[in-house]
Amino acid sequence: EVQLVQSGGGLAQAGGSLRLACAVSGFTTGRYNIGWFRQAPGKDRREGVSCLRNADGSTYYSDSVKGRFAISTEGAPNTANNMVYLEMYGLKAEDSGVYYCATPSYCRDDGPGAGPFGSWGQGTQVTVSS
């Protein structure tokens, strides 16, 4: 069973930085994708902000975070169970929300592709004070 366990996040001031982590387990192959999503307060929809194709390390970002966020892995590309990080710099108040990692079936140029999503992390709160 694939499991995603998140850590990190918390409170930061505008302009500051935070790091999120997503520990991946249960894969027998390195060919999967990890996407980061966020859900702003009062919003029903989750916004995809970044995606990593673990098989080759390719990374993708939405326009809202491009140049400020960086997705990476602790292990080499194609590692079966990797640790995936989302480094967030130059934080803005509108970056606040609950962040989730998930396993989208594909990445696209502006982040995670549409569903189906195999697994989700438990979510972690990011709050940016202005």
Side-chain angles (χ1 to χ4, degrees):
E1 179 189 2
V2 173
Q3 289 190 324
L4 307 178
V5 179
Q6 296 179 225
S7 58
L11 177 65
Q13 291 188 330
S17 61
L18 286 171
R19 187 175 79 165
L20 306 180
C22 179
V24 180
S25 64
F27 278 107
T28 58
T29 172
R31 299 182 65 81
Y32 57 86
N33 307 302
I34 294 293
W36 283 99
F37 298 78
R38 65 187 181 189
Q39 188 165 1
K43 301 287 187 182
D44 291 333
R45 181 180 164 273
R46 292 181 184 178
E47 174 195 10
V49 297
S50 184
C51 193
L52 178 140
R53 196 164 60 200
N54 188 63
D56 62 10
S58 297
T59 59
Y60 306 88
Y61 301 94
S62 68
D63 287 342
S64 61
V65 306
K66 194 174 294 182
R68 301 189 298 119
F69 288 15
I71 189 171
S72 64
T73 60
E74 184 172 85
N78 212 32
T79 298
N81 295 296
N82 228 327
M83 180 74 82
V84 181
Y85 299 105
L86 185 70
E87 304 268 5
M88 304 181 292
Y89 305 98
L91 285 165
K92 305 175 181 179
E94 53 263 42
D95 293 320
S96 296
V98 180
Y99 282 69
Y100 299 88
C101 58
T103 53
S105 55
Y106 64 98
C107 295
R108 59 188 196 189
D109 288 346
D110 62 349
F117 303 101
S119 300
W120 288 87
Q122 79 274 21
T124 186
Q125 180 70 46
V126 169
T127 303
V128 183
S129 61
S130 55

